[in-house]
Structures are given as structure tokens and as C-alpha cells.
Amino acid sequence: MKGLSLDWQQWALIATAVVLVAAGVLYWALRRRPTPDEIERRRRAHINQIGRITEGRVVELLEAPAELARSSGGVFSKKKVALRPPNGSRKLIHYSYSVSGVTYSTAQDVTDLQARACLHLLVAGQPASVKYDPTNPGNSILLADDWSGFR
């Protein structure tokens, strides 16, 4: 039984490990998770930084209905946040472009970038520059916070 008894240093080490594990679990459970708008902003910034440019075309301009509320916050959060704009619609620009003989057709939500987009000047069929991720050409943007593919 003497081999099972622990001295104060071993007890301190065990207590420290338990406190660290509890702090890690608490941080993981309560940390602020990024909102969908924040994730999209980070994606645009990344592609703007590393992207290559190719020629594309605006296919269509749409106003799509948005969810009226989304959950935000940690695991235990019940808080709901309203999406902008208050009328509940999102502005989408559908566009297509080609990279290495493959044609991609996608859309970008430009609701938060409407001031830069000049949506009233866009028409279907208009040429535009598209920035795309060279490692994943399907990941692209027409518009970022500090870059625009519109002429």
C-alpha cells in the first residue's frame, strides 16, 4: 500500500492537470464562434490576398430571401441575431468563369458590399475580372472589401 500513497508534489501536479483540462473544456464550450458573415469576410480576404485573376461574366443579379434570424455565440447560447438588411433579402451576383478549360458557375453574396458593387450599373452578360484560389479554382470572388472585379 505504500506504493499507492502520493506525496504533495504529485497531488499538486494532478490538481494542476485537472484545472488545465477544465479550463480548456470551459473555453471550448463558451468561446465565440464566427458568424456566417465573418466566415465569408475571411474567405474574401484570403482569396483577395492569394488569388489569381481570370476573365468572367456576370450571369444574373438576384435578391434572395434570407433567414430572419441565425443562432450566434457558443454552444449554450440562445441569442438570435437579425441579418442585414432588415427587409430580409440578400443580394447575389451569379457569374461564370473558366480556369484551365473548366467552366465554373457560382454566386457571391454582396449584401455587405453593396456600396462597392454599384449594383445599379451591373447587367447580365457584363464582363468582369474574377479572383480565384489557385489550389481550388471553384473558390472565387468578384468583389472584396478592397478589390473589385467590375470595370
Side-chain angles (χ1 to χ4, degrees):
M1 291 292 269
K2 256 190 171 185
L4 295 178
S5 65
L6 301 173
D7 64 0
W8 71 271
Q9 292 173 333
Q10 291 171 326
W11 280 112
L13 184 63
I14 291 170
T16 302
V18 168
V19 167
L20 288 175
V21 167
V25 168
L26 189 61
Y27 171 77
W28 178 81
L30 299 177
R31 74 179 189 262
R32 184 183 82 73
R33 304 228 177 8
T35 64
D37 288 337
E38 176 65 16
I39 292 169
E40 174 62 13
R41 189 195 61 73
R42 289 179 188 173
R43 183 189 76 84
R44 284 192 314 258
H46 176 71
I47 294 173
N48 189 29
Q49 183 178 17
I50 64 142
R52 292 190 182 151
I53 298 176
T54 188
E55 291 302 311
R57 289 219 174 269
V58 174
V59 175
E60 187 176 17
L61 305 165
L62 287 178
E63 254 188 68
E67 299 172 23
L68 296 178
R70 280 194 187 138
S71 174
S72 74
V75 173
F76 304 110
S77 175
K78 302 235 186 278
K79 179 180 169 186
K80 299 283 184 185
V81 292
L83 293 177
R84 283 171 281 145
N87 65 2
S89 67
R90 306 293 277 182
K91 308 286 188 218
L92 298 175
I93 300 176
H94 287 258
Y95 59 98
S96 64
Y97 60 100
S98 293
V99 177
S100 300
V102 178
T103 301
Y104 297 91
S105 181
T106 189
Q108 182 179 352
D109 182 351
V110 295
T111 305
D112 295 335
L113 302 169
Q114 288 184 57
R116 288 199 46 75
C118 299
L119 295 177
H120 61 283
L121 298 176
L122 291 179
V123 293
Q126 176 178 345
S129 297
V130 176
K131 270 195 183 181
Y132 67 94
D133 183 345
T135 60
N136 180 11
N139 191 4
S140 64
I141 59 171
L142 273 176
L143 198 60
D145 297 320
D146 57 348
W147 179 81
S148 175
F150 302 121
R151 301 178 195 124

